């Protein structure tokens, strides 16, 4: 498919994009746009330092593997709040996230990002699409992310499939952490994702949640930081499936395989609730 690219000097302001998001509540179509956005985005040292502190990454001279997601978040927001985008941002459910670190993320002052959506598929609860984000330096492709998003209530032709949630095998405990009641607000200040379901119990109840829930990408970042000794500096994929949301506050238990080229992880919470399963492998 031929994709039309829109090259930007900088993304729009987040405030304007959230106003767009708040004004769109219904599904307006069943086809994804054929265009994408591209933009060079510099690293902000203060934001990077805050992200490392919040997600427990050490400063080793390289960007954390999940940090390009933070850099590109406003560009992703702009794509999904554009007038031609058929699905409302509020209500999308993040089912799966895969990052690929193709080359070491060191010595980077900025990256040129490309963001687009494709692969619209029927699902038992509506439909899914993949939001793809690619980061390039002066040499070429450096990093890629694929986020699978669920659109509830979408009607599509074709067989509606929903993979069975297979219970993963037990794994040895790697570490545990406590997700306090304000982690959603603190992470939002760093990443820019001010979805009301993460900010307070009062705002989360407006969307059917009894308490605020943690950002899935915070949980993934915490897992990646804890398992950094299991992974090489580059040439790997790290992917997770988000299961049950983390209700705040809550204690998390991360279990994982031993260090090696291929491994698995799981994140459990109170009373045996499974929040996230994942895996890593060489590219």
């Amino acid at each position: 498919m031929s994709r039309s690219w829109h090259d930007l000097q900088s993304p729009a302001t987040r405030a304007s994009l959230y106003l767009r998001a708040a004004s769109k509540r219904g599904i307006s179509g069943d086809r994804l746009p054929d265009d994408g956005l591209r933009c060079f985005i510099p690293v902000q040292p203060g934001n990077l330092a805050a992200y490392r502190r919040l997600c427990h990454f050490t400063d080793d001279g390289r960007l954390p593997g999940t940090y390009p997601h933070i850099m590109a978040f406003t560009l992703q927001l702009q794509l999904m709040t554009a007038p031609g985008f058929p699905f409302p941002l509020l209500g999308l459910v993040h089912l799966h996230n895969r990052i690929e670190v193709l080359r070491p993320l060191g010595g980077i002052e900025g990256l040129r990002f490309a963001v687009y959506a494709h692969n619209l598929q029927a699902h038992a609860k509506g439909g899914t699409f993949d939001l793809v984000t690619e980061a390039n330096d002066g040499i070429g492709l450096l990093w890629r992310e694929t986020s699978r998003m669920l659109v509830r209530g979408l009607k599509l032709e074709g067989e509606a499939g929903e993979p069975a949630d297979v219970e993963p095998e037990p794994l040895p405990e790697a570490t545990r952490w406590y997700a306090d009641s304000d982690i959603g607000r603190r992470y939002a200040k760093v990443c820019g994702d001010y979805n009301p379901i993460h900010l307070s119990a009062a705002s989360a109840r407006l969307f059917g949640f009894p308490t605020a829930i943690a950002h899935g990408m915070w949980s993934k970042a915490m897992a990646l930081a804890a398992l950094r000794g299991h992974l090489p500096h580059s040439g790997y994929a790290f992917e997770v499936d988000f299961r049950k949301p983390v209700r705040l506050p809550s204690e998390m238990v991360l279990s994982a395989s031993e260090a090696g080229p291929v491994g698995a992880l799981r994140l459990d919470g109170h009373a045996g609730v499974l929040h996230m399963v994942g895996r890593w492998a060489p590219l």
Side-chain angles (χ1 to χ4, degrees), residues 22-41:
S23 66
K24 185 179 177 99
R25 294 303 179 93
I27 295 172
S28 59
D30 59 4
R31 292 188 61 187
L32 291 167
D34 294 336
D35 54 354
L37 301 179
R38 294 189 298 207
C39 186
F40 178 83
I41 300 175

Side-chain angles (χ1 to χ4, degrees), residues 52 57-65 105-107 228 232-233:
R52 284 180 172 136
F57 285 102
T58 57
D59 184 357
D60 60 359
R62 293 183 295 271
L63 300 182
L105 298 173
R228 57 188 174 273
H233 294 323

Side-chain angles (χ1 to χ4, degrees), residues 179-221:
D180 56 30
S181 58
D182 72 341
I183 189 60
R185 294 188 295 275
R186 291 191 287 129
Y187 185 75
K189 289 180 181 178
V190 173
C191 77
D193 183 354
Y194 284 90
N195 189 320
I197 63 176
H198 303 304
L199 304 182
S200 70
S203 59
R205 280 195 290 269
L206 297 174
F207 294 86
F209 294 94
T211 68
I213 64 174
H215 293 76
M217 289 303 294
W218 174 75
S219 296
K220 180 176 182 178

Side-chain angles (χ1 to χ4, degrees), residues 35-163:
D35 54 354
L37 301 179
R38 294 189 298 207
C39 186
F40 178 83
I41 300 175
V43 173
Q44 299 179 12
N47 180 262
L48 173 58
Y51 182 80
R52 284 180 172 136
R53 289 192 299 270
L54 189 64
C55 301
H56 299 184
F57 285 102
T58 57
D59 184 357
D60 60 359
R62 293 183 295 271
L63 300 182
T66 45
Y67 188 69
H69 169 85
I70 305 301
M71 295 176 65
F73 177 75
T74 305
L75 197 63
Q76 296 172 344
L77 199 64
Q78 187 163 345
L79 180 81
M80 292 190 291
T81 57
F85 200 81
F87 312 130
L89 183 67
L90 295 176
L92 292 179
V93 180
H94 197 173
L95 298 179
H96 174 85
N97 183 272
R98 173 185 170 91
I99 59 170
E100 300 169 33
V101 180
L102 283 76
R103 291 185 282 112
L105 298 173
I108 293 170
E109 295 183 355
L111 292 167
R112 182 165 177 80
F113 286 94
V115 178
Y116 62 94
H118 77 149
N119 193 30
L120 188 61
Q121 300 283 342
H123 186 277
K125 295 180 181 179
T128 62
F129 68 90
D130 290 345
L131 178 66
V132 179
T133 306
E134 297 178 337
N136 287 263
D137 61 4
I139 299 174
L141 184 64
L142 184 70
W143 177 94
R144 180 188 291 112
E145 174 187 58
T146 304
S147 294
R148 181 149 299 155
M149 313 300 292
L150 170 66
V151 187
R152 288 175 170 159
L154 178 64
K155 305 297 183 183
L156 294 174
E157 294 183 0
E159 184 176 352
E162 182 179 8

